[in-house]
Structure formats: structure tokens, C-alpha cells
Amino acid sequence: MAKEPAFFLVIDLEATCDDEGRIPEKIMEIIEIGAVLVDGATLEPVGEFATFVRPVIRPTLTDFCKKLTTITQADVDGAPTFPAAIEALGRFVGDRDALFGSWGDYDRKQFEIDANRWGVPLPLQGHMNIKKRFSAALGETTRYGMASALERLALPLLGTHHRGIDDARNIARILPYAIGRVPIPETRPTG
């Protein structure tokens, strides 16, 4: 069995988006980084990092994006650009042995896109697809959305869905089940 990391760094990103296809994936930009540092031994959160990020390709958020994320134009207008935000995340992680994990592969890919765009290194170690691990822990191939996974665990969704820090907190609550340290409750018939 592989050695567990000293910490898990659960990250959720929000990015520029549009429901009419005006912002192709290749030019989406991170607008919020939410991270929860989880102790690898206790699986308890021990720290949090959150920052908005100012987009530069499409600096004006779409109405769809503002409604989906509740992030305002003022939030991103006053935020650091990606290089400063990722440097701050690196200071938060420090020299900890922290495995980066996210709900699916989107966050990892978006980090890589933004880092390549700006020519900056990422302060992240490895990557765990917690969404995939959750399905494996259930013995299923179904890929649950984060909210559906919480529902499957009979856990309430806390905070605002599609806000980076709130989603990172919720994913951190799913982590113990996804890595098999806490058994997933049996489903109960409804009705």
C-alpha cells in the first residue's frame, strides 16, 4: 500500500465561463482558488487558503458566471493576477508534503493552462482525482457530482455551491470516504 501523504491539499477552482460558448475552454481563466489543507493522519482540516484571481483575457465576467459563482466583478477587479495568486498559494503550502486533490481533473488541467499561459511553476505535488476515488470506493463507475456525492453520504452541502472555498471545504468532507478511511453508509430505500 502506498504511503499516505502528510497532508492533502483539497482545491476547487472557479473560472471565467459562459453558457453561450463565447469563452472556449482554452481561454478560460481561474477567478477563484479555494484550498483546504487536511492533515493526512487525522483527515481534519488544519488550514484554508482563498483568493480571487483577476482575469486578463476576458476581464469582464459574464452575467452567467456571476450568477453561477456569486463572484462579483469587483471581487476580481481588485484581485491579484494568476502569478501572484499562485505564489501566495505556494507560501500557504510551504514545504509541507501535501498531495493536491480535486473533484475530477478539471482543476488540475485549468491550473496547467493558467501556469503555462503565464510561464510560472505550480507549487503542487501530484494529483488525486477525488471524484474518481469516490466512485471506486463505492465500487461504481458512475461519476458523482460533488453535491450528489454529499447527498449519497447524507451530508448537507455547506456554503455556496460553485464558490471555490466552499466547494473545497465540502470536498474535504468527502475525502475520508473517497480514500477508504471512513466507510460509506449503505443506501437506504426511500418511500
Side-chain angles (χ1 to χ4, degrees), residues 90-152:
R91 286 192 305 272
F92 170 73
V93 175
D95 59 1
R96 295 179 184 101
D97 171 28
L99 176 63
F100 162 40
S102 64
W103 196 257
D105 281 330
Y106 163 78
D107 303 84
R108 177 187 58 80
K109 291 175 184 174
Q110 190 63 51
F111 261 140
E112 291 170 358
I113 289 168
D114 282 52
N116 287 335
R117 180 181 294 131
W118 287 94
V120 296
L122 292 172
L124 305 171
Q125 295 180 29
H127 180 257
M128 176 192 297
N129 181 331
I130 300 170
K131 179 180 191 173
K132 191 174 183 180
R133 291 283 299 262
F134 181 73
S135 293
L138 281 168
E140 298 179 8
T141 56
T142 302
R143 295 290 187 257
Y144 288 76
M146 183 205 69
S148 298
L150 288 168
E151 187 177 302
R152 171 63 183 80

Side-chain angles (χ1 to χ4, degrees), residues 11-28:
I11 295 180
D12 188 76
L13 305 175
E14 301 305 327
T16 54
C17 56
D18 182 58
D19 61 343
E20 296 177 6
R22 292 177 292 188
I23 302 179
E25 277 189 31
K26 67 182 183 226
I27 64 165
M28 290 172 68

Side-chain angles (χ1 to χ4, degrees), residues 167-187:
D167 285 353
R169 289 172 181 147
N170 282 304
I171 296 164
R173 293 168 57 222
I174 298 169
L175 178 67
Y177 300 94
I179 63 172
R181 298 257 296 272
V182 175
I184 295 173
E186 293 295 321
T187 56

Side-chain angles (χ1 to χ4, degrees), residues 29-31 52-56 59 75-82 118:
E29 296 173 88
I30 295 168
I31 58 172
F52 294 114
V53 182
R54 181 165 35 97
V56 295
D75 290 332
V76 296
D77 285 348
T81 58
F82 182 78
W118 287 94

